[in-house]
Amino acid sequence: MTWRLRAAAFLTIAAVLTVGCDSDLARPAKSSTSGGELAVQTNTIPASVYGSLSGGGQNREGQWKISFAGQTRGHALHAPVDRTQNRWEGHNPRGQWTVQFHEVSEPAVSGGTFKSTSMETIVFGLHPTPDPTCVGASTITASGRFNGSPGWAISFHVTDHGSRGRSGLTDRVRVSLRDPGGTEVYDSEASGDFPLEGGCLGPHKNHIEAGNLTVRIDT
């Protein structure tokens, strides 16, 4: 008996992982959706899972815009916290992410591009009860280059709300960027560039205007 979380991604991301700073990272079709299905087959929380986060899209609000695309996958161990038991955390997953800060309120970041060189951690979360409008959540951290300079890092937080056609909801994202000294130089929550909208798993994220992100968890 297993827990399975399935979602289908219709956004091709292979090409966008190699785009440069002067390119528009993600131009997904407006109709892009995922079909989220959550099937709980046992009441026992798995000690470990194998999962993935993949897809791409954009946050847009007025003049501000951030694009992102990539995929990360790996094993994660049960790591409950006070607010939830349905949490798993893994280290050294495989994958690659690109985040393009087309225009943001921080001048030192605006126009720049982060490209990962190594994935550090991946975290998965599930809603305590099956819900097709709340497929799952994932957070990744990655080290990489910002505008070609090494030693930078990102944290990327996602809530997958499943099929937009079924749930009427779009996926939610929050992204932060840290310099080689570990100082956070930009955060889409703290910046005020994007409105904060509640999600079924984790607050302080903004809905994506285009694209789709897929969280999948299997035992």
Side-chain angles (χ1 to χ4, degrees):
M1 302 291 284
T2 62
W3 281 21
R4 293 192 182 210
L5 183 130
R6 301 181 183 275
F10 299 107
L11 181 65
T12 301
I13 61 174
V16 298
L17 292 173
T18 58
V19 300
C21 289
D22 56 349
S23 301
D24 202 5
L25 178 63
R27 293 181 182 271
K30 291 183 179 180
S31 61
S32 177
T33 61
S34 67
E37 296 292 342
L38 176 64
V40 177
Q41 297 176 307
T42 177
N43 291 325
T44 302
I45 297 176
S48 65
V49 298
Y50 184 84
S52 63
L53 168 65
S54 62
Q58 295 179 341
N59 287 122
R60 296 197 296 262
E61 185 70 24
Q63 70 189 89
W64 313 124
K65 182 169 73 169
I66 300 174
S67 296
F68 37 81
Q71 57 83 25
T72 305
R73 63 190 186 279
H75 288 94
L77 300 178
H78 187 221
V81 293
D82 289 343
R83 65 182 179 274
T84 180
Q85 292 290 309
N86 299 324
R87 182 181 182 274
W88 298 264
E89 183 172 353
H91 297 270
N92 302 313
R94 290 186 290 179
Q96 185 178 12
W97 280 86
T98 298
V99 179
Q100 190 169 350
F101 301 88
H102 297 279
E103 191 164 1
V104 296
S105 59
E106 173 53 56
V109 175
S110 190
T113 298
F114 173 90
K115 294 184 178 182
S116 68
T117 54
S118 65
M119 307 305 301
E120 307 298 332
T121 62
I122 189 166
V123 175
F124 299 107
L126 283 176
H127 199 270
T129 58
D131 185 345
T133 72
C134 187
V135 173
S138 184
T139 293
I140 60 167
T141 59
S143 299
R145 296 176 177 271
F146 182 67
N147 290 343
S149 176
W152 290 70
I154 61 162
S155 295
F156 193 68
H157 312 268
V158 172
T159 300
D160 181 354
H161 280 283
S163 169
R164 187 180 309 184
R166 291 178 60 186
S167 69
L169 300 171
T170 54
D171 298 334
R172 305 290 204 260
V173 168
R174 174 187 169 192
V175 60
S176 62
L177 177 70
R178 298 183 300 280
D179 68 18
T183 300
E184 184 177 86
V185 295
Y186 182 78
D187 179 82
S188 59
E189 174 188 0
S191 67
D193 294 348
F194 304 94
L196 303 183
E197 298 158 318
C200 62
L201 289 165
H204 313 308
K205 300 170 187 173
N206 178 255
H207 74 278
I208 63 174
E209 295 289 346
N212 181 69
L213 292 158
T214 299
V215 176
R216 175 176 176 137
I217 307 172
D218 292 291
T219 56

